[in-house]
């Protein structure tokens, strides 16, 4: 059982909170308006609490970044002290949106949000994962007809092992988790966001993931 803080109480954050709580972890959902977040959810599970983002980062063991990727760097840099010594799991993509609200271009071409976060938070171990799928697949990979892939990027192997264990709690089998290497490999998976709008415009908002077939 681990104390997990989730920064961002939108669809991604609340979806992860529910599954991790059901797996036995104590979860704190951190948002700028925690009372609002508590009201919008279906009601807190026994292991889900609500707090502001600074408190969430300070009081939990592992932190998940589920804030909008285009503003994550600024938000999390302000939490440098609170995040020191912790694992930060980054599931966001930093993209600029087109007129229809779908991703249109990368915020950090030639780099990645994960790399920027690691540089800004040198005392934090950043691990990138779960950013190559729609949010509902993150916690229910078994629902896709083709087994999806969860990619891992990060400089610290021990941190990636810990994250692999949490992915198992979300339903991911070890053979479907691909360790790509250090944090610079996150630029490859973050670039995959550019395929998302084309798939959504063609097929609608249906669960999918960008997977490795062997």
């Amino acid at each position: 059982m681990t104390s997990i803080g989730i920064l961002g109480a939108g669809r991604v954050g609340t979806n992860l909170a529910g599954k991790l709580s059901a797996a036995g972890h104590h979860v704190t959902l951190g948002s700028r308006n925690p009372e609002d977040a508590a009201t919008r959810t279906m009601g807190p599970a026994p292991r889900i609490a609500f707090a502001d983002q600074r408190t969430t980062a300070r009081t939990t063991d592992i932190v998940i970044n589920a804030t909008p990727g285009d503003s994550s760097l600024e938000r999390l840099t302000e939490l440098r002290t609170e995040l020191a010594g912790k694992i930060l799991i980054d599931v966001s993509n930093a993209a600029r949106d087109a007129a229809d609200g779908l991703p249109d271009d990368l915020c950090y071409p030639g780099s990645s949000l994960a790399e920027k976060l690691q540089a800004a938070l040198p005392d934090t171990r950043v691990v990138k994962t779960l950013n190559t799928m729609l949010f509902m697949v993150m916690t229910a990979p078994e629902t896709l007809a083709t087994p999806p892939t969860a990619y891992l990027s990060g400089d610290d192997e021990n941190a990636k092992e810990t994250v692999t264990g949490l992915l198992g709690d979300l339903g991911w089998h070890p053979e479907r988790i691909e360790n790509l290497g250090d944090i610079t490999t996150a630029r490859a998976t973050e670039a995959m966001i550019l395929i998302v709008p084309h798939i959504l415009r063609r097929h609608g908002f249906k669960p999918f993931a960008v997977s490795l077939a062997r």
Side-chain angles (χ1 to χ4, degrees), residues 22-46:
H25 300 288
H26 286 291
V27 177
T28 301
L29 264 177
S31 81
R32 291 179 171 177
N33 299 293
E35 290 182 4
D36 248 9
T39 301
R40 282 188 285 106
T41 61
M42 295 178 64

Side-chain angles (χ1 to χ4, degrees), residues 3 17 37 41 48 112-113 135 145 154 169 188 190 196-197 207 214:
S3 172
T41 61
I48 297 181
S112 65
L113 171 60
F135 74 92
D169 291 339
E190 288 192 25
V196 170
R214 286 193 176 95

Side-chain angles (χ1 to χ4, degrees), residues 24-213:
H25 300 288
H26 286 291
V27 177
T28 301
L29 264 177
S31 81
R32 291 179 171 177
N33 299 293
E35 290 182 4
D36 248 9
T39 301
R40 282 188 285 106
T41 61
M42 295 178 64
R47 293 188 179 89
I48 297 181
F50 297 87
D52 61 83
Q53 293 185 353
R54 190 173 298 278
T55 300
T56 299
R58 186 182 68 250
T59 58
T60 54
D61 301 321
I62 295 173
V63 179
I64 299 174
N65 174 39
T67 65
D70 59 350
S71 59
S72 288
L73 183 59
E74 180 182 358
R75 294 185 195 212
L76 271 65
T77 299
E78 294 177 356
L79 304 177
R80 178 172 175 171
T81 299
E82 289 79 8
L83 291 170
K86 301 184 179 183
I87 295 173
L88 175 66
I89 304 173
D90 179 30
V91 303
S92 295
N93 286 303
R96 298 183 179 89
D97 291 341
D100 60 1
L102 294 177
D104 183 52
D105 200 5
L106 300 176
C107 290
Y108 307 112
S111 185
S112 65
L113 171 60
E115 290 172 81
K116 297 290 186 181
L117 287 171
Q118 187 60 85
L121 305 167
D123 298 321
T124 303
R125 294 173 290 168
V126 178
V127 178
K128 189 81 181 191
T129 193
L130 295 180
N131 61 308
T132 55
M133 61 200 71
L134 291 192
F135 74 92
M136 64 285 285
V137 180
M138 295 178 178
T139 58
E142 73 282 355
T143 59
L144 295 187
T146 303
T149 305
Y151 304 97
L152 284 178
S153 299
D155 292 337
D156 190 289
E157 292 300 324
N158 290 329
K160 285 189 283 189
E161 286 181 14
T162 299
V163 174
T164 296
L166 289 179
L167 290 177
D169 291 339
L170 294 175
W172 291 89
H173 296 294
E175 64 271 15
R176 302 307 306 172
I177 300 172
E178 190 74 20
N179 184 350
L180 296 179
D182 67 25
I183 201 67
T184 64
T185 63
R187 67 182 66 178
T189 59
E190 288 192 25
M192 292 179 187
I193 189 67
L194 297 181
I195 198 173
V196 170
H198 307 296
I199 293 174
L200 293 183
R201 290 178 186 126
R202 185 172 178 83
H203 299 287
F205 199 75
K206 299 177 181 178
F208 77 91
V210 181
S211 300
L212 176 63

